[in-house]
Amino acid sequence: MSGSGAAPGPGSGSSPAACRFAHYFVLCGIDADSGLEPDELAVLYQWLEADRHGKSQDAANTTSGENFDQSPLRRTFKSKVLAHYPQNIEWNPFDQDAVNMLCMPKGLSFRTQTDNKDPQFHSFIITREDGSRTYGFVLTFYEEVTSKQICTAMQTLYQMHNAEHYSTVYASSSCSMDSLASSVDEGDTTSLLKLQRYNSYDISRDTLYVSKSICLITPLPFMQACKKFLIQLYKAVTSQQPPPLPLESYIHNILYEVPLPPPGRSLKFYGVYEPVICQRPGPSELPLSDYPLREAFELLGLENLVQVFTCVLLEMQILLYSQDYQRLMTVAEGITTLLFPFQWQHVYVPILPASLLHFLDAPVPYLMGLQSKEGTDRSKLELPQEANLCFVDIDNHFIELPEEFPQFPNKVDFIQELSEVLVQFGIPPEGSLHCSESTSKLKNMVLKDLVNDKKNGNVSTNNISMYELLKGNETIARLQALAKRTGVAVEKMDLSASLGEKDKDLKLQCEEAELRDYQLNVQLREVFANRFTQMFADYEAFVIQTAQDMESWLTNREQMQNFDKASFLSDQPEPYLPFLSRFIETQMFATFIDNKIMSQWEEKDPLLRVFDSRIDKIRLYNVRAPTLRTSIYQKCSTLKEAAQSIEQRLMKMDHTAIHPHLLDMKIGQGKYEQGFFPKLQSDVLATGPANNNRWVSRSATAQRRKERLRQHSEHVGLDNDLREKYMQEARSLGKNLRQPKLSDLSPAVIAQTNCKFVEGLLKECRMKTKRMLVEKMGHEAVELGHGEANITGLEENTLIASLCDLLERIWSHGLQVKQGKSALWSHLIQFQDREEKQEHLAESPVALGPERRKSESGVMLPTLRVSLIQDMRKLYKRYAFLRCEEEREQFLYHLLSLNAVDYFCFTSVFTTIMIPYRSVIIPIKKLSNAIITSNPWICVSGELGDTGVMQIPKNLLEMTFECQNLGKLTTVQIGHDNSGLLAKWLVDCVMVRNEITGHTYRFPCGRWLGKGIDDGSLERILIGELMTSASDDDLVKQCRTPPQQKSPTTARRLSITSLTGKNNKPNAGQIQEGIGEAVNNIVKHFHKPEKERGSLTVLLCGENGLVAALEQVFHHGFKSARIFHKNVFIWDFIEKVVAYFETTDQILDNEDDVLIQKSSCKTFCHYVNAINTAPRNIGKDGKFQILVCLGTRDRLLPQWIPLLAECPAITRMYEESALLRDRMTVNSLIRILQTIQDFTIVLEGSLIKGVDV
């Protein structure tokens, strides 16, 4: 098709015409036969508004669309598809209602000769259920009304409007004659006359115009080409000279004889006056995008656009807001284009018709565009939910971002690189509309008067304002704005002659500007694509490929993990994690990974194929470069290459389509009348030419192959019901509601749509809670020794944030009384106020006796429930999720299931807030006094700090205190001053509860505190364990609802020297196994990523920690029989060893051994003496714990063990069979302890407080 070409087949849809440039030509306007009809959609919109504000629908229906308060010229009237060619295409059926609504979203508009009648260009998109898209390009212009019937109807409407208006004015004034006379003074009369003159229609004086739209519907978004073609059609209609050929020739040509350009090629076809050029990227290039990104960056500014882009990536709710439909499409398409290689998977409606405003209630991610009404500001726009909403006011260069969302990685460097590209093309990074808030009103005045063909799609007439001539000069723009503000008019000039003389130059400049737009588009997109290529260069290594066949995989898709998120995040640079941890939870990322897995069974997704080829290219140049894992910013290196490929295609045409030609038309058809779009001859436009063209014969083979592939894929799709079922379920809510169906908008359909939303929310809740349970339980299983961890602290925060987002959407769904940015938070505050009022009423002594008795007996509970239900009815619409009883009960059930696990995101994130804690000391009452005469104290420590020493009130075992967040609690120090007669205290345990999170910790003790009993300790350090189940204790009973389930835990270690400890002595094998396991746990702790590590204190001093294991070693074979009724402790042996070293000089053969041993002995004695002289009343077992901790920290334990084993005191205090007297066992113990010398151990302050070594 180098010279010429035509599209194959007739246009009825019977032939394969998927390669045609345009599918339909559509004409929308007023139906002269049916006359003026109020727009039914406007009636529905009023019904929805009445429902939104809780008004009676009868009041909304009584108007039947006849809003007498509004001027008839400003009302919406029903438009109609007057004609479309061809009638239908099999693979793209014509949806008349949808096209009519999107061609004329506001319905018919009327104007008079005094109004602005400049044509407006806009585009729209229809997304089908399978995700495929069809694009529409519309030019709306005004045509004189020739029907006397319609003119008379408009005159009648104005008479009714004026009568209604005057009656309202007079009714609002006083009934007395004086006040009536005073109400219509001279000023009011003047204003009424002025209103009547400028806002009226007189059939004898005024000329009436009505809007009409011409539209092209295409399979690909060739926006610039379609816009040029439609503008040329419009010029042919308004020109004084008739066009060279009847308009049918040009429309027939673009429908049937202009093909789509092949990938990587350019195409030239012909409009009415001049050729139109378009190009299509090649298979290895970024996909086609014809919407000028220059406009999107000018409208929003670089900083704002990157922020909105981040919100889209994280699948938040994005609402675009502008008076101009084309601006909505430009920004929406521009941002979604930049998502490569990902695709938006949720509701996508760049132009939201007024009748679909209820979709703003959608509790799902969406990207929608809403037309702003003239004179309305942001404060008047009532939105159902805002906590997760990104509101983009395009006209005012302003965005409202959701709260607390992560920044895009390397944002500063990224913006800098984009700025460099923009500056090269002469575009200020802050946007051409950038201004301060104080001048926003001034800017709006400029925008209202600015007629800019590039931005609004307006076509300049011969009368051009001075501002248009000088629009490139910023100073002139400011002067123009100032002039408008002060009321000075800038005269318009007739420049038709001068424009005609310079038409050729302007044409060349326009082509050059178009080329620059294409080059800017591709360079900006390359920068964005490069960021994703760098960030996800290694993504394939973390894709979990399945060994199943496709059918099995699709069947089990919901239960399977396709991507190793934990490993991927641990492999990423630290600054990327806040963004990436949330992004990999999105539907667009899940779909991307699904496509990757599906590519092993079927052809690769086109976007995935291009992306993978780019990653291969990076690897080829970098050879697995370590820079891929760092946060060093790498600029895009393919900008010049991408711009050159575009320039080459546009400078040299690859294909030229057939010229428009005369058709076999009936005589009298195609008659030209200036200013009126002719009635087209349908029979010549209904079908295309016969297949007798060279281009058709050359492409027939390829076309037949494509058709066979299409039919095969359809056949496979029909056979494989499972695939459709599970793929749609996996993306159900986003995919099925990508764009609402516009054909039927009855209340029943709206209710059905909302029902789908409710079902989708419930399913999402089930999926989220299930994942949270499975992953968290998996992590807890790891701590018990089963499997490996699969959830990190970062993932935990992400899961909770995702759940909070879901809760916010549930509480926002169907909300009609909005009291704050967050619907959930507002509800919680209201609930708290209600509870406080109820408590106040219950405690009030003024309350009457009978009423109080009712409340105590529970009779008032149904009344309270009724009042709550009534409140819910006031707050929420009838279709809201929270008013669907069955779904609400299931939702609460899923939420309550989360009580089975513990999350610490609140404790870990809010580190500086004050938190109330409650502590309870539980003594062993059978063996000890519940009341003591000494002064007890307690100090609670956590990962973030400690409380300091707090005195416990005498004879009180429970106390509440408030302090800065301690984090996860680790230790409790408890003691007393040994004063009074009853100073001995046997404590079973200490319980401490975080009153905000409900986490309850148990600190086991089981030992005495007092002089002359047990090991003589007045102070003990207790190691905490998080309670995972309810117990009989009242404190823990209040902790959770309902009771949790847990696997049985091991019994608490009993001290050998305690009253009950002698009967359960472990054997030598068990002791050696315990030492190995304790050391192994410490080694594993340090091999985990830092954010996944648990408490080192527990591993050292806890239930099965290193101290407990070494205690077992030292207790084995220990001669602990009572001598004169006195217990002997390990610390007694330690002190005897120190006394021996301090009084005896050792004699060894090797001098080096002497020096080493002397050094070790000296160090050992120093540590023991430091512990003994510390100003703490710690018992002997507590001192041994401190010694082990210090020896572990300072890597001294392997040196000390042989000293203890070789000391002569060991023969007096240990039996022959003791482990410490077995040389092989001692050497084995030394080797095991040496394995933890490679790690830096930091001890908690409470363990070694007051010990100076």
Side-chain angles (χ1 to χ4, degrees):
M1 201 190 72
S2 57
S4 62
S12 61
S14 57
S15 67
C19 58
R20 289 202 317 230
F21 181 87
H23 285 173
Y24 293 100
F25 178 81
V26 186
L27 190 65
C28 294
I30 190 169
D31 185 1
D33 296 332
S34 58
L36 286 181
E37 291 183 74
D39 193 355
E40 291 176 2
L41 296 176
V43 178
L44 180 61
Y45 172 58
Q46 289 174 6
W47 180 85
L48 290 167
E49 281 296 293
D51 183 60
R52 175 187 287 269
H53 297 291
K55 299 174 184 174
S56 69
Q57 280 126 35
D58 294 336
N61 292 335
T62 52
T63 60
S64 300
E66 299 284 354
N67 184 0
F68 293 114
D69 292 335
Q70 195 175 31
S71 164
L73 284 179
R74 298 291 174 261
R75 295 179 199 169
T76 55
F77 295 93
K78 187 176 181 180
S79 61
K80 187 178 179 181
V81 174
L82 302 178
H84 66 278
Y85 308 102
Q87 284 304 304
N88 201 42
I89 293 176
E90 182 183 354
W91 63 91
N92 184 13
F94 187 77
D95 189 338
Q96 184 160 309
D97 293 328
V99 171
N100 179 36
M101 184 184 295
L102 293 168
C103 279
M104 308 189 92
K106 292 186 293 186
L108 292 173
S109 298
F110 285 90
R111 299 283 187 271
T112 64
Q113 72 279 1
T114 59
D115 297 318
N116 176 30
K117 297 183 292 297
D118 290 330
Q120 298 284 329
F121 173 83
H122 79 271
S123 53
F124 62 83
I125 184 172
I126 296 177
T127 309
R128 289 185 286 271
E129 287 190 2
D130 62 354
S132 60
R133 294 177 173 181
T134 299
Y135 296 85
F137 304 97
V138 187
L139 188 72
T140 303
F141 55 93
Y142 288 88
E143 198 174 74
E144 185 180 340
V145 178
T146 56
S147 168
K148 287 293 179 75
Q149 179 188 357
I150 292 174
C151 293
T152 305
M154 182 60 71
Q155 174 89 8
T156 305
L157 285 174
Y158 256 104
Q159 291 171 352
M160 296 169 66
H161 167 70
N162 290 336
E164 181 75 16
H165 180 72
Y166 292 139
S167 65
T168 305
V169 169
Y170 289 119
S172 63
S173 60
S174 172
C175 294
S176 67
M177 292 300 293
D178 294 336
S179 60
L180 181 61
S182 62
S183 67
V184 190
D185 59 7
E186 186 178 348
D188 289 335
T189 307
T190 306
S191 63
L192 286 172
L193 289 172
K194 198 178 287 185
L195 180 69
Q196 189 177 3
R197 185 166 63 251
Y198 289 109
N199 194 21
S200 66
Y201 169 70
D202 188 338
I203 195 169
S204 61
R205 182 189 69 222
D206 297 319
T207 306
L208 190 64
Y209 296 86
V210 66
S211 57
K212 181 175 279 190
S213 292
I214 49 176
C215 169
L216 278 176
I217 294 179
T218 64
L220 292 177
F222 291 109
M223 193 269 290
Q224 301 286 3
C226 291
K227 180 178 175 182
K228 286 182 180 179
F229 180 82
L230 293 174
I231 287 174
Q232 290 186 47
L233 277 185
Y234 170 73
K235 284 183 177 178
V237 171
T238 56
S239 173
Q240 294 180 355
Q241 299 295 325
L245 295 171
L247 293 188
E248 284 88 343
S249 297
Y250 303 102
I251 295 169
H252 182 275
N253 178 253
I254 199 170
L255 284 178
Y256 303 115
E257 297 173 333
V258 176
L260 280 174
R265 300 299 182 92
S266 56
L267 169 72
K268 179 167 72 175
F269 64 93
Y270 294 89
V272 181
Y273 298 112
E274 58 188 33
V276 178
I277 295 168
C278 62
Q279 61 86 31
R280 189 175 174 187
S284 61
E285 298 178 61
L286 294 175
L288 174 66
S289 173
D290 212 32
Y291 286 84
L293 288 173
R294 171 184 56 79
E295 291 183 24
F297 279 88
E298 284 178 345
L299 290 168
L300 292 184
L302 176 54
E303 174 83 21
N304 284 348
L305 190 135
V306 170
Q307 296 285 62
V308 176
F309 174 73
T310 308
C311 291
V312 173
L313 281 172
L314 298 178
E315 294 186 343
M316 296 177 175
Q317 293 178 323
I318 294 91
L319 182 62
L320 310 177
Y321 196 60
S322 173
Q323 288 189 39
D324 191 289
Y325 290 125
Q326 186 57 16
R327 286 184 175 181
L328 296 173
M329 274 297 293
T330 299
V331 172
E333 280 293 293
I335 289 177
T336 51
T337 295
L338 298 174
L339 293 176
F340 171 87
F342 309 102
Q343 290 177 290
W344 180 256
Q345 298 293 320
H346 298 277
V347 176
Y348 182 65
V349 193
I351 298 176
L352 185 69
S355 57
L356 292 181
L357 276 183
H358 64 284
F359 260 81
L360 293 176
D361 275 346
V364 292
Y366 59 67
L367 176 51
M368 294 199 257
L370 185 64
Q371 194 207 25
S372 57
K373 296 178 182 178
E374 193 172 348
T376 59
D377 58 9
R378 167 72 178 87
S379 61
K380 295 179 182 176
L381 183 64
E382 290 188 9
L383 298 172
Q385 49 191 355
E386 297 184 17
N388 197 38
L389 177 74
C390 175
F391 180 80
V392 185
D393 190 342
I394 298 174
D395 297 339
N396 291 313
H397 196 82
F398 168 74
I399 63 173
E400 283 180 16
L401 293 170
E403 300 169 353
E404 299 178 5
F405 82 104
Q407 297 297 322
F408 192 74
N410 294 116
K411 179 185 167 188
V412 175
D413 296 322
F414 183 49
I415 287 178
Q416 178 61 35
E417 184 179 9
L418 290 169
S419 299
E420 292 169 6
V421 175
L422 291 171
V423 168
Q424 283 180 3
F425 286 84
I427 299 170
E430 66 272 12
S432 62
L433 304 179
H434 181 70
C435 61
S436 64
E437 290 182 11
S438 60
T439 57
S440 61
K441 292 183 180 178
L442 180 66
K443 174 192 64 189
N444 284 337
M445 298 173 77
V446 178
L447 291 176
K448 287 177 183 176
D449 295 278
L450 174 61
V451 182
N452 185 338
D453 185 49
K454 282 291 181 183
K455 285 183 182 174
N456 298 323
N458 299 329
V459 183
S460 300
T461 59
N462 287 337
N463 291 332
I464 299 179
S465 67
M466 181 67 75
Y467 182 77
E468 278 296 302
L469 295 175
L470 301 172
K471 64 183 177 184
N473 188 312
E474 189 176 350
T475 306
I476 297 298
R478 290 176 180 170
L479 288 173
Q480 168 74 1
L482 185 61
K484 290 292 177 188
R485 192 177 185 186
T486 53
V488 179
V490 181
E491 295 296 330
K492 294 186 177 181
M493 304 178 181
D494 187 359
L495 300 171
S496 56
S498 59
L499 283 177
E501 293 169 3
K502 298 182 179 179
D503 186 56
K504 186 176 179 182
D505 294 336
L506 287 175
K507 177 183 169 186
L508 292 173
Q509 289 174 12
C510 182
E511 288 178 356
E512 185 179 345
E514 188 177 334
L515 172 62
R516 286 177 65 79
D517 269 356
Y518 277 123
Q519 290 177 328
L520 175 62
N521 260 28
V522 73
Q523 289 198 8
L524 289 172
R525 294 175 67 201
E526 285 288 343
V527 174
F528 277 84
N530 178 62
R531 289 311 307 132
F532 288 120
T533 309
Q534 299 290 344
M535 288 162 60
F536 293 96
D538 284 340
Y539 87 96
E540 287 182 79
F542 304 98
V543 176
I544 303 172
Q545 295 287 359
T546 177
Q548 303 173 332
D549 58 4
M550 185 171 69
E551 186 174 321
S552 302
W553 180 78
L554 289 169
T555 306
N556 301 308
R557 167 67 190 89
E558 193 174 296
Q559 287 79 31
M560 295 180 68
Q561 287 286 347
N562 294 333
F563 191 73
D564 188 353
K565 296 175 183 176
S567 300
F568 174 76
L569 290 174
S570 65
D571 202 44
Q572 301 309 308
E574 183 78 20
Y576 290 12
L577 295 181
F579 171 81
L580 287 177
S581 62
R582 290 184 61 176
F583 177 67
I584 62 176
E585 297 293 332
T586 59
Q587 187 63 55
M588 70 174 74
F589 185 78
T591 304
F592 174 76
I593 298 300
D594 284 352
N595 289 339
K596 180 66 179 176
I597 293 174
M598 291 290 291
S599 65
Q600 64 185 308
W601 298 300
E602 58 181 28
E603 189 179 353
K604 258 189 185 180
D605 176 75
L607 296 182
L608 180 64
R609 185 181 63 247
V610 176
F611 186 66
D612 282 351
S613 68
R614 286 167 173 254
I615 290 177
D616 293 340
K617 194 174 180 181
I618 281 185
R619 287 176 179 163
L620 186 66
Y621 287 118
N622 290 317
V623 193
R624 188 70 182 99
T627 52
L628 294 177
R629 293 174 179 235
T630 71
S631 58
I632 298 172
Y633 189 83
Q634 293 183 324
K635 287 189 174 181
C636 181
S637 58
T638 58
L639 296 183
K640 187 178 289 186
E641 177 186 328
Q644 284 174 351
S645 63
I646 289 278
E647 186 173 0
Q648 289 171 3
R649 275 201 294 271
L650 289 176
M651 288 300 157
K652 181 184 177 182
M653 289 298 104
D654 297 308
H655 304 289
T656 303
I658 289 179
H659 285 254
H661 51 84
L662 277 172
L663 303 173
D664 184 13
M665 296 172 62
K666 297 176 183 176
I667 298 174
Q669 293 290 334
K671 184 180 178 183
Y672 174 76
E673 186 177 355
Q674 184 182 359
F676 293 92
F677 199 89
K679 185 175 181 181
L680 301 173
Q681 186 172 334
S682 58
D683 54 351
V684 297
L685 293 177
T687 58
N691 289 340
N692 56 0
N693 186 269
R694 287 181 303 162
W695 179 81
V696 174
S697 62
R698 277 204 303 270
S699 64
T701 306
Q703 193 62 35
R704 282 196 297 270
R705 186 167 62 250
K706 285 184 182 178
E707 181 66 11
R708 282 198 303 272
L709 283 172
R710 183 180 69 83
Q711 290 174 350
H712 174 69
S713 65
E714 287 178 357
H715 177 69
V716 170
L718 289 171
D719 287 346
N720 196 352
D721 292 335
L722 272 175
R723 176 180 176 181
E724 284 303 312
K725 177 186 174 186
Y726 289 106
M727 289 300 278
Q728 283 195 7
E729 278 189 6
R731 307 161 191 169
S732 59
L733 204 56
K735 193 164 185 177
N736 294 341
L737 296 170
R738 281 180 178 174
Q739 176 159 317
K741 190 168 178 60
L742 308 179
S743 304
D744 184 3
L745 288 171
S746 63
V749 172
I750 294 172
Q752 185 181 1
T753 304
N754 281 303
C755 187
K756 283 186 180 179
F757 282 142
V758 169
E759 291 172 1
L761 281 173
L762 186 60
K763 180 181 178 183
E764 189 177 352
C765 178
R766 184 178 70 250
M767 296 292 292
K768 284 188 188 300
T769 52
K770 178 181 176 182
R771 185 186 166 195
M772 291 171 72
L773 282 170
V774 168
E775 298 212 359
K776 190 66 178 177
M777 283 177 168
H779 183 59
E780 292 174 350
V782 171
E783 294 177 346
L784 295 173
H786 309 293
E788 295 184 357
N790 59 353
I791 182 170
T792 64
L794 189 69
E795 276 190 295
E796 181 175 303
N797 290 349
T798 304
L799 289 173
I800 294 292
S802 176
L803 179 66
C804 291
D805 168 50
L806 173 65
L807 294 177
E808 180 62 37
R809 285 189 277 125
I810 284 174
W811 255 261
S812 300
H813 184 230
L815 183 67
Q816 59 186 5
V817 181
K818 190 165 176 295
Q819 296 184 341
K821 220 172 183 184
S822 168
L824 177 57
W825 190 250
S826 301
H827 192 99
L828 290 173
I829 290 174
Q830 286 180 354
F831 179 77
Q832 185 182 26
D833 292 342
R834 173 181 289 278
E835 289 295 299
E836 288 175 355
K837 286 178 183 177
Q838 292 290 338
E839 287 178 10
H840 180 70
L841 288 173
E843 294 171 2
S844 173
V846 185
L848 297 175
E851 290 182 2
R852 178 175 294 185
R853 282 196 297 273
K854 279 185 183 179
S855 64
E856 288 170 356
S857 62
V859 178
M860 286 190 69
L861 287 177
T863 311
L864 177 61
R865 182 175 178 82
V866 169
S867 66
L868 285 172
I869 293 172
Q870 288 173 347
D871 285 351
M872 197 66 77
R873 287 174 180 169
K874 292 176 186 175
L875 289 171
Y876 289 92
K877 299 171 189 174
R878 59 185 172 275
Y879 60 76
F881 183 94
L882 291 177
R883 287 187 61 182
C884 301
E885 292 189 12
E886 185 177 340
E887 286 79 3
R888 187 176 67 221
E889 290 301 317
Q890 292 183 53
F891 160 69
L892 293 173
Y893 170 80
H894 292 309
L895 281 188
L896 286 173
S897 68
L898 294 177
N899 279 340
V901 293
D902 287 293
Y903 277 90
F904 293 94
C905 55
F906 181 87
T907 312
S908 305
V909 172
F910 300 98
T911 56
T912 59
I913 64 168
M914 300 298 290
I915 290 183
Y917 293 89
R918 185 151 59 107
S919 67
V920 177
I921 299 166
I922 302 174
I924 300 178
K925 296 179 182 178
K926 292 180 181 178
L927 301 174
S928 169
N929 299 310
I931 300 173
I932 61 171
T933 56
S934 58
N935 299 301
W937 56 267
I938 191 172
C939 175
V940 182
S941 301
E943 292 179 346
L944 303 177
D946 62 60
T947 60
V949 173
M950 299 181 295
Q951 294 296 326
I952 302 172
K954 276 191 177 182
N955 303 326
L956 284 180
L957 298 175
E958 180 178 338
M959 75 179 218
T960 303
F961 58 91
E962 191 175 81
C963 65
Q964 188 168 305
N965 187 1
L966 300 174
K968 294 180 185 177
L969 302 188
T970 52
T971 63
V972 159
Q973 300 166 64
I974 184 172
H976 61 84
D977 61 359
N978 204 44
S979 61
L981 295 175
L982 300 174
K984 295 182 177 67
W985 201 15
L986 181 57
V987 176
D988 179 46
C989 65
V990 176
M991 310 284 287
V992 181
R993 183 179 190 266
N994 182 321
E995 294 285 70
I996 290 182
T997 65
H999 291 141
T1000 302
Y1001 297 82
R1002 184 174 185 270
F1003 297 85
C1005 179
R1007 303 287 294 270
W1008 285 93
L1009 288 115
K1011 289 290 185 183
I1013 192 168
D1014 204 338
D1015 63 347
S1017 178
L1018 293 180
E1019 172 187 342
R1020 293 201 184 276
I1021 303 168
L1022 311 180
I1023 310 302
E1025 55 186 28
L1026 182 68
M1027 296 297 294
T1028 55
S1029 69
S1031 71
D1032 294 333
D1033 192 274
D1034 290 340
L1035 177 76
V1036 188
K1037 275 184 180 177
Q1038 299 170 16
C1039 183
R1040 305 195 183 279
T1041 305
Q1044 302 169 27
Q1045 300 297 319
K1046 70 160 188 175
S1047 52
T1049 56
T1050 55
R1052 167 71 185 166
R1053 168 177 60 95
L1054 296 172
S1055 172
I1056 297 295
T1057 56
S1058 69
L1059 295 174
T1060 58
K1062 294 182 179 179
N1063 299 325
N1064 296 320
K1065 290 184 178 181
N1067 58 40
Q1070 290 172 333
I1071 291 173
Q1072 288 175 305
E1073 187 180 335
I1075 277 284
E1077 189 164 337
V1079 171
N1080 191 36
N1081 286 337
I1082 294 174
V1083 173
K1084 285 198 292 186
H1085 169 86
F1086 285 101
H1087 277 94
K1088 289 180 184 178
E1090 191 171 345
K1091 291 190 175 182
E1092 293 182 39
R1093 296 174 184 175
S1095 170
L1096 184 60
T1097 301
V1098 173
L1099 297 180
L1100 288 172
C1101 308
E1103 186 75 38
N1104 300 305
L1106 182 63
V1107 173
L1110 283 174
E1111 275 185 5
Q1112 301 284 8
V1113 172
F1114 277 85
H1115 274 299
H1116 188 263
F1118 191 58
K1119 297 177 182 179
S1120 58
R1122 295 185 179 185
I1123 302 171
F1124 304 112
H1125 302 285
K1126 183 179 179 183
N1127 282 331
V1128 181
F1129 295 87
I1130 298 173
W1131 192 251
D1132 296 322
F1133 169 63
I1134 299 289
E1135 287 180 331
K1136 287 186 182 297
V1137 172
V1138 170
Y1140 171 76
F1141 288 144
E1142 287 178 342
T1143 58
T1144 309
D1145 288 332
Q1146 302 269 331
I1147 299 174
L1148 294 173
D1149 298 334
N1150 192 328
E1151 291 185 2
D1152 291 338
D1153 290 342
V1154 172
L1155 292 174
I1156 293 171
Q1157 189 164 15
K1158 277 190 174 181
S1159 174
S1160 299
C1161 292
K1162 188 177 179 181
T1163 306
F1164 180 73
C1165 295
H1166 172 65
Y1167 274 69
V1168 172
N1169 290 330
I1171 293 170
N1172 274 329
T1173 57
R1176 297 179 69 177
N1177 295 308
I1178 299 176
K1180 293 180 180 180
D1181 282 349
K1183 290 177 180 179
F1184 179 76
Q1185 176 174 292
I1186 294 175
L1187 182 66
V1188 172
C1189 289
L1190 289 173
T1192 307
R1193 183 192 71 181
D1194 299 335
R1195 303 178 175 89
L1196 295 171
L1197 277 182
Q1199 299 175 26
W1200 292 348
I1201 295 294
L1203 293 178
L1204 295 170
E1206 293 169 8
C1207 177
I1210 198 169
T1211 57
R1212 295 194 301 272
M1213 301 193 70
Y1214 281 88
E1215 298 170 357
E1216 186 71 30
S1217 61
L1219 290 174
L1220 283 178
R1221 296 186 66 176
D1222 181 5
R1223 184 175 293 274
M1224 288 183 63
T1225 304
V1226 170
N1227 290 335
S1228 174
L1229 177 62
I1230 292 169
R1231 285 195 300 271
I1232 291 173
L1233 292 175
Q1234 283 173 340
T1235 59
I1236 57 177
Q1237 287 188 303
D1238 299 332
F1239 308 111
T1240 302
I1241 291 177
V1242 179
L1243 297 177
E1244 193 174 323
S1246 61
L1247 295 177
I1248 55 171
K1249 187 190 295 183
V1251 179
D1252 183 14
V1253 293

